[in-house]
Amino acid sequence: MSDTYERLVQLLVKNFGFDTDEVAREDTFSKLELDSLALVELTLAVQQEFKIKLTDDDLDANDTMEQAVKVIESKPVVA
Amino acid sequence: MPGAAPFDAAITGIGMVTAAGIGTDTAWETIVTAEGTAASPVPALDGTPSAIGCWIPGYDPIQAIGRRRAWRFDRSSQFAITAAAEAVGDSGLDPSTWDGTRVAVVLGSGIGGAASWEKQHHVLLDDGPTSVSPLLIPMLAVNMSAGYVAMEHGARGPNLVTATACASGTTAIGTARELLRQGVCDVVITGGTEACLIPSIVAGFSQMGALTGRQDDPSAASRPFDADRDGFVPAEGAAVLVLERAADARARGARVYAHISGYGASADAHHATAPEPSGAGAELALRAALEDAALAPDTVDHVNAHGTSTPLNDAAESQLIRRVLGERPAVTSVKGVVGHSLGAAGAIEAAVTALTLDRQLVPPTANLDSQDPRIELDVVAKEARAATVEAAVSNSFGFGGQNAVLVFTRA
């Protein structure tokens, strides 16, 4: 069982001031009130945390956390 | 407007975030005890040649602004938001019911979000441009503090940040009063903010020789008008006032701390950083402010001086005060306590001057152990002085030769 979801939640806790229990797998970024600037910020944090490369479009405001986990896990780890 | 009746802007709310305290009452209590608040090393400056500063360790942006939002703002905007919230609350005005189109915001800031810029510059060098935060620009841009304060309170009137270096806060308040006088708004949220106790900025001031060398004795380092002063102590902080036309404040029964009754501004047109030695440029601003307030120079009871604790400023400013206002005013500089917060300084000093008029108590200048004999002024030292203060002046002078002076009268 991967820990991608938990690590993604921890990014929201560490960088965006969330409490762990404020985030659920079915929540969209829009519901979490992350605007476009925050999503770019999150994209940067995800790249650093998971050592992957994302495009600007990989995380969408209408994506759920669960969908984001799938996107992250689909990307190859870069050195 | 020569010949026009003096225009009084009523100060109906005050908010402060300073090394002397967060919140107006706490800050005032520390300021009247004249204890220096400088520390060394400031953590962000540790390991640099000049690590002394008046920083605000007790400021918790998460507690002040909220954990879900605090990360979006540079520290300078955080301070402004906190001070503005206190000032608006203190005024008794209700942003949920006011006509926001008639509420302006005018803040001063010398440098803006320098800490965010410096941090992201490291990211740029270490990880490349595609790792730079998308929030860098709204964190860095000097106008953003006023924009964010407007968003907090639905203030949709004129909105700007003035940048006149160390006079920025005073310029902002003077400009805010003009907006009220012109009738383009009914309420102005005004003041100044600064948060740049960071290695690059402090090194810049250090390299120009402006800072104190007293790294090992921080609480005694800022000593305006003292014979042994050797430079300023950099500081961070913010202060915000709520201004309304005096008649409006009276009509709604608001508590009024003091009136701002005059404003004057000028330029030395002389040198990047040194004050014009004769003080002629600063004198233009001071005389303009007095004329605006229709006050004779010999009726000024109190001067809240720029008083940076640099050899050059305090010598030139004291000659100016003596020449224009004479021996009468009780002079003080709060920079002995709170250091020099650059673009916030004039706003913090305006807040303190308003409280001085309200409480009829002149705060003392910290660390004034041996007054420079060339400074022939009545500088209040050691203990606060109860005094009748009907009219007061607050001076601010910025690098670039920018001078701004406010005149305050008792409400």
Side-chain angles (χ1 to χ4, degrees):
Chain A
M1 177 96 185
S2 88
D3 60 356
T4 304
Y5 174 75
E6 284 72 22
R7 287 164 71 191
L8 183 57
V9 171
Q10 281 311 304
L11 287 182
L12 293 178
V13 170
K14 182 164 158 263
N15 296 354
F16 301 89
F18 284 85
D19 270 347
T20 310
D21 61 8
E22 284 178 320
V23 185
R25 286 177 185 269
E26 63 275 17
D27 286 346
T28 63
F29 293 122
S30 177
K31 177 164 183 281
L32 295 172
E33 297 176 339
L34 294 178
D35 64 8
S36 61
L37 293 179
L39 273 182
V40 178
E41 193 81 44
L42 178 63
T43 299
L44 296 177
V46 165
Q47 291 185 141
Q48 195 169 43
E49 169 68 21
F50 294 95
K51 307 282 183 278
I52 60 174
K53 194 78 192 140
L54 295 176
T55 71
D56 288 348
D57 304 326
D58 278 330
L59 300 183
D60 186 89
N62 298 316
D63 288 347
T64 63
M65 289 286 286
E66 190 60 48
Q67 286 170 308
V69 166
K70 289 201 174 80
V71 169
I72 291 165
E73 291 181 341
S74 73
K75 302 286 181 181
V77 173
V78 294
Chain B
M1 281 190 276
F7 176 78
D8 289 335
I11 300 166
T12 58
I14 301 178
M16 298 175 79
V17 177
T18 74
I22 300 163
T24 301
D25 290 337
T26 314
W28 172 258
E29 282 166 23
T30 306
I31 286 166
V32 294
T33 61
E35 285 175 24
T37 62
S40 182
V42 174
L45 302 174
D46 199 7
T48 68
S50 185
I52 185 173
C54 293
W55 73 299
I56 310 174
Y59 183 78
D60 176 1
I62 289 173
Q63 192 251 327
I65 293 178
R67 59 190 161 81
R68 292 276 295 275
R69 307 193 311 138
W71 64 273
R72 300 181 71 100
F73 307 110
D74 180 79
R75 189 168 171 85
S76 59
S77 288
Q78 292 173 344
F79 286 169
I81 290 167
T82 301
E86 184 189 3
V88 170
D90 186 41
S91 75
L93 292 166
D94 181 358
S96 70
T97 58
W98 68 19
D99 177 0
T101 64
R102 302 290 299 169
V103 181
V105 181
V106 186
L107 299 180
S109 191
I111 297 183
S116 296
W117 194 357
E118 189 180 76
K119 183 177 170 192
Q120 291 301 317
H121 189 66
H122 284 297
V123 172
L124 174 73
L125 297 178
D126 293 344
D127 302 322
T130 57
S131 295
V132 169
S133 170
L135 280 153
L136 170 60
I137 301 307
M139 285 180 153
L140 161 66
V142 73
N143 63 300
M144 288 305 294
S145 55
Y148 283 131
V149 167
M151 292 173 218
E152 293 292 307
H153 301 290
R156 294 161 58 211
N159 188 290
L160 66 149
V161 165
T162 59
T164 53
C166 303
S168 299
T170 302
T171 302
I173 295 167
T175 303
R177 174 173 164 274
E178 292 302 327
L179 293 178
L180 282 177
R181 171 148 63 182
Q182 290 162 16
V184 298
C185 59
D186 299 324
V187 176
V188 195
I189 302 168
T190 182
T193 189
E194 204 79 81
C196 56
L197 292 176
I198 56 171
S200 57
I201 297 293
V202 174
F205 281 115
S206 176
Q207 291 292 87
M208 68 165 63
L211 301 184
T212 178
R214 283 189 175 79
Q215 299 290 314
D216 300 329
D217 191 10
S219 66
S222 185
R223 40 196 320 115
F225 305 116
D226 190 85
D228 293 328
R229 69 188 184 278
D230 71 340
F232 79 80
V233 172
E236 60 180 4
V240 171
L241 311 178
V242 172
L243 302 185
E244 302 167 65
R245 280 180 289 276
D248 294 348
R250 220 172 11 249
R252 74 176 181 91
R255 177 190 51 189
V256 178
Y257 289 96
H259 291 147
I260 297 176
S261 306
Y263 171 61
S266 69
D268 281 359
H270 170 69
H271 185 267
T273 56
E276 200 273 314
S278 77
E283 183 170 339
L284 282 174
L286 175 53
R287 289 196 184 279
L290 292 169
E291 186 178 339
D292 188 27
L295 270 185
D298 61 3
T299 61
V300 173
D301 303 304
H302 168 56
V303 177
N304 190 305
H306 190 53
T308 56
S309 184
T310 62
L312 278 180
N313 174 82
D314 295 3
E317 184 180 12
S318 62
Q319 285 167 26
L320 168 71
I321 294 169
R322 170 88 185 195
R323 185 167 67 248
V324 178
L325 304 176
E327 297 172 47
R328 173 190 166 96
V331 178
T332 198
S333 168
V334 298
K335 289 189 177 78
V337 175
V338 298
H340 188 3
S341 56
L342 313 175
I348 291 170
E349 288 151 26
V352 170
T353 307
L355 294 166
T356 298
L357 281 153
D358 182 57
R359 298 172 187 190
Q360 296 287 290
L361 187 67
V362 179
T365 303
N367 298 312
L368 188 57
D369 297 328
S370 172
Q371 186 167 326
D372 184 337
R374 291 167 296 181
I375 291 173
E376 297 174 294
L377 295 174
D378 173 17
V379 184
V380 179
K382 303 297 178 193
E383 288 184 6
R385 182 192 298 174
T388 301
V389 183
E390 298 291 337
V393 160
S394 179
N395 293 330
S396 294
F397 311 122
F399 284 165
Q402 287 156 343
N403 310 300
V405 177
L406 291 167
V407 173
F408 297 73
T409 56
R410 200 172 175 185

